Amino acid sequence: MKKGIKIVTIGGGSSYTPEFVEGLIKRYDELPVRELWLVDIEEGREKLNIVGNLAKRMVEKAGVPMEVHLTLERRKALKGADFVTTQMRVGQLKARIQDERLPIKYGMIGQETNGAGGLFKGMRTIPVLLEISEEMQELCPDAWLINFTNPAGMVTEALLRYGSHPKVVGVCNLPINTRMTLAKLLGVEVERVLIEFAGLNHMVYGLDVLLDGESVLEEVLDIMSDPDRQVSMRNIAPLPWEPEFIRSLGVIPCPYHRYYYKTGDILEKQLEEFKTGTTRAEVVQQLEEELFDLYKDESLAVKPPQLEERGGAYYSDAACNLISSIYNDRGDIQTLNVRNNGAISDLPRDSAVEVNCVVTKAGPEPIAIGELPVSVSGLVQQIKSFERVAAEASVTGSYEKALLAMTINPLVTSDVKAKQLLDEMLEVHKEYLPQFGERLTQN
Amino acid sequence: MKKGIKIVTIGGGSSYTPEFVEGLIKRYDELPVRELWLVDIEEGREKLNIVGNLAKRMVEKAGVPMEVHLTLERRKALKGADFVTTQMRVGQLKARIQDERLPIKYGMIGQETNGAGGLFKGMRTIPVLLEISEEMQELCPDAWLINFTNPAGMVTEALLRYGSHPKVVGVCNLPINTRMTLAKLLGVEVERVLIEFAGLNHMVYGLDVLLDGESVLEEVLDIMSDPDRQVSMRNIAPLPWEPEFIRSLGVIPCPYHRYYYKTGDILEKQLEEFKTGTTRAEVVQQLEEELFDLYKDESLAVKPPQLEERGGAYYSDAACNLISSIYNDRGDIQTLNVRNNGAISDLPRDSAVEVNCVVTKAGPEPIAIGELPVSVSGLVQQIKSFERVAAEASVTGSYEKALLAMTINPLVTSDVKAKQLLDEMLEVHKEYLPQFGERLTQN
Amino acid sequence: MKKGIKIVTIGGGSSYTPEFVEGLIKRYDELPVRELWLVDIEEGREKLNIVGNLAKRMVEKAGVPMEVHLTLERRKALKGADFVTTQMRVGQLKARIQDERLPIKYGMIGQETNGAGGLFKGMRTIPVLLEISEEMQELCPDAWLINFTNPAGMVTEALLRYGSHPKVVGVCNLPINTRMTLAKLLGVEVERVLIEFAGLNHMVYGLDVLLDGESVLEEVLDIMSDPDRQVSMRNIAPLPWEPEFIRSLGVIPCPYHRYYYKTGDILEKQLEEFKTGTTRAEVVQQLEEELFDLYKDESLAVKPPQLEERGGAYYSDAACNLISSIYNDRGDIQTLNVRNNGAISDLPRDSAVEVNCVVTKAGPEPIAIGELPVSVSGLVQQIKSFERVAAEASVTGSYEKALLAMTINPLVTSDVKAKQLLDEMLEVHKEYLPQFGERLTQN
Amino acid sequence: MKKGIKIVTIGGGSSYTPEFVEGLIKRYDELPVRELWLVDIEEGREKLNIVGNLAKRMVEKAGVPMEVHLTLERRKALKGADFVTTQMRVGQLKARIQDERLPIKYGMIGQETNGAGGLFKGMRTIPVLLEISEEMQELCPDAWLINFTNPAGMVTEALLRYGSHPKVVGVCNLPINTRMTLAKLLGVEVERVLIEFAGLNHMVYGLDVLLDGESVLEEVLDIMSDPDRQVSMRNIAPLPWEPEFIRSLGVIPCPYHRYYYKTGDILEKQLEEFKTGTTRAEVVQQLEEELFDLYKDESLAVKPPQLEERGGAYYSDAACNLISSIYNDRGDIQTLNVRNNGAISDLPRDSAVEVNCVVTKAGPEPIAIGELPVSVSGLVQQIKSFERVAAEASVTGSYEKALLAMTINPLVTSDVKAKQLLDEMLEVHKEYLPQFGERLTQN
């Protein structure tokens, strides 16, 4: 990194990009980025230009010597990169709408990172990321691949097991978000709070919460048990937790756990949204259009405040903190998706887990937490089984594995309907599932 | 066992008893039982007399020198026993009706060994079995406790973790039943078929099927994929498996797996039965009445053929084979619920598992199978987590643990409704849940 | 096996063969062997003829319709085999003498299955067995490879990890021998005694001893603590155990454990034998010559009693019992070297272990014993590490791995001398170590 | 810690104390220690006064407001402590001389933290530390117990398994020493070097060495293979490693590994020292006397440079860095002895291991490294078995366990001599082994 840092952002035309650019600008002193390459595909050319030009205006206004490059040529961008972040949406929001609506049609939860929808988002995304992994091994073998693309758990699983490039981390803004929110609820500065996270992406629990090194778990469980103070995410129905259940669980669930502990309630709500056309994807589509209208405004040279409603709060912090800690050999603790390596004893050693890591120049290394509490280990193990089969299906394009992944997912409630749903989704998304080639025409 | 074998059957007034007696009579040469003690409680006095007298007539007719004793004094019966079998139903069929109907009322599957119903059957049963375990340690420390009482997985878990008496085996007729059925479907004698079972009770998979030592798994998967030849149990709706799912699973599911892979379909069916008053418990109640009417007939001195419709096919074979193999140091392979001891690597070493064991005078010892296939390990691990929490709730009478067990069960679909259902079931069953004492009146 | 069983014995010219032939003759009713092929190499042609002709005379005298074939063409023999037993000595007794004498020269224990000697015996043997494994996969894919060749633990490790043919079992007469001896010491019939063996080949412990299914471990530990009644093997100096040590160990060591718990005492004894030329190999060489002189006697048509002094007591029983149990789907318990598969939790799942197995048509399957007692687990784990590195050295011919295996072996007491000893042994045995080719001339 | 930090040093009369005091003075700005209590026992009163007065002079000269208290009343000192460091030598150097000389008399290695000597040092020390652990739980339940007393691995094992006080860390200066030395050999600043340590105390390996986050393991292995540049400790004979062995090992051994990989060579050297009366303990005794003569000099108010020859280089840095990182919630990486918690997959989860930890206000948490390389796992596992049995013997005073620990230690080469040596050592040290009470007079 002699001449300064080169960062490549694949899916650079994303509406989130201004937040990332803002994060880099703010941290320029500690993280002197010389080149930021925003890469996208032909279909995203227009968005890339809108977002990219905003990024250039932001950099110029901030007065930092960071070059912003826009390109559709991924290989050119990757050459000599130090960090590659990936945040694409294969099939765009159009595909997400299908991921959310089709399962509901069969009476099952429709969600972009869980259940049948998550499986399909994974199967569309993983082959592209494996390609990137291969190109990185060739063009920038020392660079870190920092994946934000959902479903980040399944994607990291696939990159670790089947990828060419070993330097891989999966990142999600949920842990940092939870930390921020809990700090606020506790009324303390965020630096004083440490949450001992363990589990999988979107299936992570806070096993303990430390304030200045002392456990305040009991107090936090009280907060979580109070419907008025519970933590949620913008993209999840904020149905309140049953207070006594939270106490019995003994650890902090994440907002996505509602899909598993409130399956019936959420399904009911979704069936309603399905009819009124207000599924999350449809809401987001609206938001995105508004955002891009704002971005086009040539007088805009900062991240517009409306972006915060989009749902990716602290996403930029998660990304920039990780890059900066590696670059500066900082040795701080961050919650990341990495190879388990025994850190969580009851999960496979070779699988991806989301767990607190210490981050140095050598990358993130997971802190050992022993066994998960029995109250949560079963569900985590079940989702890990699903992710492993889903990753295999994504890579091999095996119809059988895809059906298996679909049916063993706990949000899918019938083997017979699983097949019908699978067939319909394979057909609908076929453009983005080349690995299933032959089968698609036969079924 | 110098003076011949003493067997004690707790819950001796069960309608199944004649089958067990028939099994003992048939095997008298290899298994010379001197005393059979049928024990029941005051509430079951009448049934005990009816069944016990039939048993006496059967023995007399067969001309074997086996004494049949009927008693309500359990301690007296246990003294000096060699084998103790347990097959009681705490709360009788009346309680089972509630186990099945109440969950359905909340939109969830009602079943006596799975979901909320299974949890309550376990919580009623486990304290009684722990009492028996304690008495055995005092009165017949060398005897084997052979438990048939459902939910056998949860019960064996509790006996192994919390019981005083270490010589415990859980037995279920499902494995032997499956073997018999597969042999028939393959058109071969049952002795030539060996199924490599592994998992938990009512959550067991056939990992391989050997005919004369050679795998015929592929052929059996074909059979399982054929709706006309699939295996089911009398007490489970015989909804056909999706053929391609069975192939993708790669192992043989058991009939109870329908609750997990066909949750939605079964729920639909149950909602219907709920309305028409034909839940399984209600059907069984009818059958039982008819059976006891038959048993009363003093001219009857054999097991009546109608018993076979009751659902416990081969139950007697499972029990008698186990007792005989221990007694005769036979060293054959049987599928039993025992302490895992590492036999299934991805399940806790101290937990109960259902797995092939070699049975000698030293009792059953599990054969190591390594890791479960990824296609099934997640679900098995999830149910094991549930069983562990459920066993703890049963023993401690902790409301919190009971709510936790209820909510993490995959057939329970809402934390809020879980609490409502729990409260209602605790109230309804309170007579049989003394360990929850105080709480019941508070909630 | 339609036309009767075909057994191939590689290393057929061994002095042990008459015992095996006697075993087959005795069991002809249960194990109707149609063809026995004795295979050897050019160097062993003379011995093969002597032993083979004795075998023919024995069969003829017994009047069983078993064909005995003698051949140097291994591939021809293997074609269509049902069972292949291997009992060769690559480099003959001449090599064994070096294995025993050279380490002593460097002040270390010289033994053919332990320490530096064991490593070299393994490195000479493993490549030949991997060749056989490959040929079997081609010529008799359904046959079982039953290996008696020492060091059986290291050899089975290599066959399981690197071999082409999966149906592999390692057999040693030590467990059956111990059972026979303990039965005699207990004054009971051998059938009533079951020893729960676990560990590695020549590193196996009796965790429990059952008489009619009840533990008599305490009594056996008393016997083992009594110098007059301790168990040894013909090839190990019968130095008495320290009684209090045996009690503290809490399990039954095997005779070879003397090399590890009495290293100093044995070394002293060996230094003496070294000077007088009476190392075990030299004693055996003498015995072998006498045996072959006997075998040549054309009037001899039974196994001569002198063979028993050779040290392989019950070797034939171990081999024949295994073959018969597989053939007859007997399901009895035998102590064998097989893939661990989790049976011993604290050893690698993919490694070879020596443990009680149930033997059916499907072959042997290990019985799970959980964790080894802490008193012995460390030593067993250390030897397993050595075996894994040794197997890798044997297969790859890596000088570095050979040096590593040598140095981490607990009977080798200096890294510097390890290298000197390695270099001398590589030179001395080079004819039988083609895999190390280049290196030999360089060092 | 409102009123400033209170540190208690048990064994405060140690000759090392001035180094610790110097470390605290240097770090006063980041670590404002208000009170330092030096505690010793009656036998150490004189040394305590000498060292304590030097400490007071050092503090005064430095002009920091830190109170130094000298006391023989441990309970009074412990009350309200924030950190308790333990660095005592039960039985003083007199006992160490016996630990080193007696094994040599029986032809075995004599060393104070390995072999028979280490076992006895542990058995004398552990009961005292368990007492301290109990008192801390009562008098300063939030304080960290930071143990420097050797054998630190065995002691930490005992404190974790049998102690009352959970906040325990074992510290050794070897890792920091190695890091310093390697940095020097690499010619770089120490901050740029990170060694991935894993194993047990005095049995730890450097699995990787990172310079600015990139592996320089190969280069370091080259250095280690070069006799002129190898790392040793003052208290271990600096016999050079066999270069090709180091390369084959593939990881960095620690100086103490010489006892295991050069057993014969070291023994030879020790037999010589034994005769000339220059065992390490005897050398140290001489050094200590000289040091205390210096300390008495009232004009001395700094740590005298001669202390560095004593062998505890960087011991103060190890202690102060740990205390400061906890106090300041620093989150840096240090190599410490803590509960494994799965960090090293092939060691027991509940055992003490020495491994890189991230240190925050919540204390040290181990970084997961997965499995140890096969080249070293066996030896580490063997020593862990020994430590577990030794800890049990220390706590229970069981003669049988002590004999077992002694015999299974790889530096003890005969069960018979093990007993003789055990009996002699129990007699010699009986004053400091009250837990063995009865037995001592019987044997």
Side-chain angles (χ1 to χ4, degrees), chain D residues 361-421:
Chain D
K361 256 183 195 148
E365 293 190 282
I367 297 171
I369 62 107
E371 283 190 324
L372 291 169
V374 64
S375 57
V376 305
S377 64
L379 179 58
V380 174
Q381 289 169 321
Q382 195 187 27
I383 295 300
K384 178 44 74 190
S385 280
F386 161 72
E387 284 185 355
R388 287 173 62 192
V389 178
E392 195 184 346
S394 305
V395 172
T396 59
S398 154
Y399 179 86
E400 219 172 58
K401 295 292 172 194
L403 177 59
L404 179 62
M406 179 76 99
T407 315
I408 66 176
N409 187 289
L411 302 184
V412 171
T413 54
S414 157
D415 59 341
V416 174
K417 287 184 190 157
K419 183 174 159 50
Q420 295 162 359
L421 175 55

Side-chain angles (χ1 to χ4, degrees), chain B residues 216-227 229-230 243 246-247:
Chain B
V216 291
L217 180 62
E218 292 306 310
E219 193 178 338
V220 173
L221 288 173
D222 286 344
I223 292 173
M224 297 292 297
S225 307
D226 177 346
R229 298 194 289 169
Q230 294 180 2
I246 293 299
R247 296 228 58 105

